[in-house]
Amino acid sequence: MALNNLVNQLGELNPQVFRELKGRFKQRNVLITVAISLVGQLMMLIGFGSKLPVVDGDRTIYNRYCTGVNYDYQRPCLPDGLGGFEINWPLWWQDVFVWLSIIAVFSLLVVGTYMLISDLSKEESRGTLNFLRLTPQSSRSILGGKLLGVPALLYLAVGFALPLHFCAAIAGQIHLIELLGFYTVLATSCLFCYSMALLFGLVSRSLGGFQAWLGSGAVLIFLWITTMVIHDSGVSNYPADWLTLFNPTIVLPYLIDSNSFDASRISTYHRSFQDLRWFGIHIGASFWTMAGFIVLNYGVGSYWLGQGLNRCFHNPKATLINKQQSYWLTASLEAVILGFALNPQVKNWRGYTHGLEQNSQMLLVFNVVLFLALIAALSPHRQTLQDWARYRHQDRTFRKKGGLIADLIWGDKSPAVVAVAINCAIASAMLLPWILLWPANEYKIAALFALLLNSSIIMIYATVAQLMLLMKAKKRAAGAVITVGGLILLPPILFSIGSMDPYETPALWLFSAFHWTSLQHATASSVFLAIIGQSLALTLLNVQLGRQLRQAGESTTKALLSGKTQLPVTAD
């Protein structure tokens, strides 16, 4: 009765929440969820109980949870005078707490992602998603209702595990205020991951039922890899360390022992993440600096995902973000990732030139991934481009807004090539001062050329993608993905098959997305030839794009009169 009253009250605040909860909070579903949660907790306690030492005659027993002097993470068990051993119960409860936390993180993020994407796929197949778009509710209200309602049974299962989690934290001598901080990190991670799941569900409608498995599988792989990195390798002082901040388990070692990182107590965790720095700020020094930075990352990411959700929910054909937003997005992401690249070796930065080179290469890889996402988010499709090319001259405000140039920079319906170029300029302008401040060494000039070649190759990909999206074929988006993917992957594959590695034939690799692997071995003439060749290819592609836009902008009547098209002939 109380549960129904709560559901009704939520329904008054948000009708979408009421709709989701009403469909899921059936008695059978609730009982099964509670049973799975309780049985799972019982099985975990039984499993950890089996790890406790058992008396085996007079033989000395070594066990992680005993209280003797530490020996290779195992301690000799001391008798307690009652026929058993003295047990380090706080450590045992800490391990229970850690595994409960890890299971909760994986369950909430992976299963929750699957449930949200699957729900959107079902709504799309039933046609009810279009009905939701026509309701007077705002996109924030509808999508917020999805976030709260779709994983409701998952929330219930985790809620029934909270008492054991809380008791394990108290028995494991974990500070209560830091436990609340962990819950905050976990809540913001769910907001970020679920927002990303909703956005992926909206933009990947063509994948059908496979999209839920793809999205949740990607989250699972990411969490698994970053968890292994966090708890086995630790910090590498590379820009890739930023990615580990999107895994909530990175704060668990701080909770286990806030005052020290004693490896004898915490055998499964690496200590080096204490050295994590961002623009010289020691964010890994304490739980609160780490947790605060993680929450900030999740908050910024959720904000940008929310912008995309608001744009594409009511208008699926709209680009995910507008061009002005893309400039701010590029600047913010470059600032964040650059902060982790400044200090490859804290103690001797000026002598560690090879580390600077490696960090610059990682930043170039990051930029390729970022700009591929921006190209997909900013590039309009054929019908939008056709309408823009045909009717922009009839817009009375077109000239007042600055004409063609301003529309290419700010307009949502214009081609994305100029906007991608501006984003490349923003990224390069932020990376260039950092490279120029390097000490003089053999890597500095190569890094500058790599930055230039990286921008030109990205512009080529952007133009090719826009040309593919301007085609008359039905599967334009798939064609653009396959073509750009082929341009990225095929050259290194063919070079490898032909045994042409970057060291022996560097000139060829300069024309690929992995040009930075060969710059140290390329001659100045081959580098300039690559720059000229890419510039020529980019010019020809943009000339072709302009010609295609002019043809698309011609009216059907004008095209018929000029003989550029023919009326369809149908057989009787």
Side-chain angles (χ1 to χ4, degrees):
M1 192 67 178
L3 185 61
N4 290 332
N5 291 334
L6 178 61
V7 171
N8 291 331
Q9 290 177 4
L10 288 175
E12 293 178 0
L13 297 174
N14 190 320
Q16 186 62 34
V17 174
F18 177 77
R19 174 175 175 262
E20 301 294 342
L21 295 183
K22 186 178 179 181
R24 287 167 174 79
F25 272 5
K26 303 295 177 64
Q27 184 177 6
R28 177 175 175 271
N29 296 339
V30 171
L31 291 176
I32 292 175
T33 301
V34 173
I36 291 175
S37 178
L38 295 178
V39 171
Q41 295 173 60
L42 179 61
M43 295 299 294
M44 171 172 286
L45 291 176
I46 292 174
F48 272 96
S50 65
K51 295 183 178 181
L52 293 173
V54 179
V55 177
D56 186 12
D58 295 331
R59 190 168 63 90
T60 302
I61 304 297
Y62 290 87
N63 190 277
R64 170 173 166 78
Y65 302 113
C66 287
T67 58
V69 178
N70 178 63
Y71 176 76
D72 194 21
Y73 301 126
Q74 296 292 320
R75 297 175 181 269
C77 297
L78 305 178
D80 60 0
L82 300 175
F85 298 112
E86 294 180 359
I87 302 299
N88 186 351
W89 289 110
L91 182 59
W92 188 83
W93 280 110
Q94 281 181 6
D95 286 354
V96 173
F97 170 83
V98 167
W99 279 101
L100 272 175
S101 301
I102 292 175
I103 292 173
V105 168
F106 275 75
S107 299
L108 283 170
L109 299 187
V110 177
V111 180
T113 296
Y114 177 86
M115 295 172 74
L116 283 164
I117 299 176
S118 178
D119 178 78
L120 282 182
S121 178
K122 292 177 182 177
E123 295 263 27
E124 182 75 30
S125 62
R126 292 195 300 258
T128 53
L129 191 59
N130 288 330
F131 172 77
L132 289 176
R133 290 188 174 108
L134 297 175
T135 60
Q137 297 182 71
S138 65
S139 59
R140 293 182 184 274
S141 175
I142 295 173
L143 296 174
K146 290 284 185 186
L147 288 175
L148 293 174
V150 173
L153 293 175
L154 181 60
Y155 298 152
L156 183 64
V158 173
F160 270 86
L162 279 179
L164 177 60
H165 191 260
F166 185 82
C167 291
I170 298 300
Q173 300 177 357
I174 295 171
H175 297 306
L176 180 59
I177 188 67
E178 293 182 351
L179 178 63
L180 297 177
F182 171 71
Y183 290 154
T184 302
V185 170
L186 186 55
T188 54
S189 71
C190 289
L191 175 62
F192 172 80
C193 194
Y194 292 174
S195 299
M196 186 165 52
L198 288 174
L199 187 61
F200 179 75
L202 290 174
V203 302
S204 60
R205 297 182 299 273
S206 60
L207 296 177
F210 179 67
Q211 60 187 160
W213 292 105
L214 180 62
S216 59
V219 174
L220 176 61
I221 293 172
F222 172 80
L223 287 176
W224 182 265
I225 293 175
T226 52
T227 300
M228 294 299 102
V229 170
I230 291 168
H231 301 303
D232 290 335
S233 302
V235 166
S236 57
N237 290 311
Y238 291 146
D241 289 330
W242 175 60
L243 296 177
T244 62
L245 298 181
F246 290 93
N247 188 334
T249 63
I250 195 173
V251 299
L252 289 178
Y254 294 90
L255 294 171
I256 293 172
D257 191 347
S258 302
N259 301 315
S260 69
F261 288 81
D262 185 4
S264 65
R265 292 188 61 191
I266 313 165
S267 64
T268 56
Y269 295 92
H270 204 275
R271 330 175 37 180
S272 67
F273 54 83
Q274 279 183 294
D275 297 328
L276 192 63
R277 295 170 183 260
W278 182 72
F279 283 110
I281 302 172
H282 201 177
I283 62 174
S286 69
F287 169 81
W288 292 111
T289 54
M290 178 68 82
F293 197 82
I294 292 173
V295 170
L296 179 63
N297 272 271
Y298 280 135
V300 173
S302 299
Y303 169 79
W304 287 115
L305 291 170
Q307 298 299 310
L309 285 170
N310 288 332
R311 281 178 61 84
C312 71
F313 179 73
H314 286 296
N315 185 9
K317 295 183 179 180
T319 55
L320 292 183
I321 56 175
N322 61 41
K323 291 176 179 176
Q324 182 178 3
Q325 290 173 332
S326 73
Y327 306 145
W328 287 106
L329 176 62
T330 298
S332 62
L333 289 179
E334 289 292 335
V336 170
I337 195 69
L338 181 60
F340 292 98
L342 292 180
N343 235 356
Q345 191 179 42
V346 177
K347 294 181 180 179
N348 188 19
W349 182 80
R350 291 194 171 276
Y352 200 60
T353 53
H354 185 59
L356 292 172
E357 180 215 14
Q358 289 179 333
N359 281 5
S360 68
Q361 292 175 357
M362 287 189 181
L363 286 176
L364 295 181
V365 174
F366 169 80
N367 277 349
V368 170
V369 176
L370 168 64
F371 280 97
L372 289 176
L374 282 177
I375 290 169
L378 291 173
S379 300
H381 286 241
R382 175 177 174 80
Q383 187 59 54
T384 302
L385 289 172
Q386 190 173 17
D387 294 341
W388 174 81
R390 182 173 299 176
Y391 302 117
R392 62 185 172 87
H393 300 291
Q394 301 177 12
D395 187 357
R396 296 180 179 179
T397 62
F398 180 75
R399 292 186 177 181
K400 294 181 180 180
K401 293 178 180 178
L404 178 61
I405 300 299
D407 200 44
L408 289 172
I409 297 174
W410 306 108
D412 290 347
K413 298 181 179 180
S414 59
V417 177
V418 174
V420 174
I422 294 174
N423 280 293
C424 282
I426 293 172
S428 299
M430 297 182 70
L431 298 182
L432 185 60
W434 172 58
I435 297 176
L436 292 176
L437 289 174
W438 289 8
N441 59 81
E442 66 274 20
Y443 303 114
K444 189 171 184 178
I445 301 300
L448 293 173
F449 280 120
L451 188 61
L452 178 60
L453 288 171
N454 196 63
S455 298
S456 64
I457 199 74
I458 287 171
M459 289 303 304
I460 290 175
Y461 296 155
T463 309
V464 169
Q466 194 64 89
L467 280 169
M468 297 299 296
L469 292 176
L470 194 55
M471 294 174 60
K472 296 181 180 180
K474 292 183 179 180
K475 301 293 184 179
R476 293 183 294 271
V481 171
I482 293 173
T483 303
V484 175
L487 290 175
I488 295 173
L489 299 177
L490 280 180
I493 292 175
L494 294 177
F495 295 159
S496 299
I497 292 174
S499 299
M500 296 178 287
D501 58 62
Y503 307 102
E504 296 181 357
T505 55
L508 290 176
W509 284 83
L510 293 176
F511 291 90
S512 72
F514 305 92
H515 49 81
W516 38 267
T517 59
S518 62
L519 274 169
Q520 283 295 316
H521 313 280
T523 62
S525 59
S526 61
V527 173
F528 284 110
L529 181 62
I531 294 173
I532 294 172
Q534 290 188 11
S535 300
L536 180 61
L538 182 61
T539 301
L540 293 176
L541 287 171
N542 277 280
V543 169
Q544 177 64 17
L545 178 61
R547 184 182 296 115
Q548 293 287 344
L549 286 170
R550 285 193 297 272
Q551 293 178 359
E554 292 180 352
S555 65
T556 306
T557 303
K558 182 178 178 181
L560 284 172
L561 293 176
S562 61
K564 293 182 179 180
T565 186
Q566 297 180 357
L567 290 173
V569 178
T570 58
D572 293 334

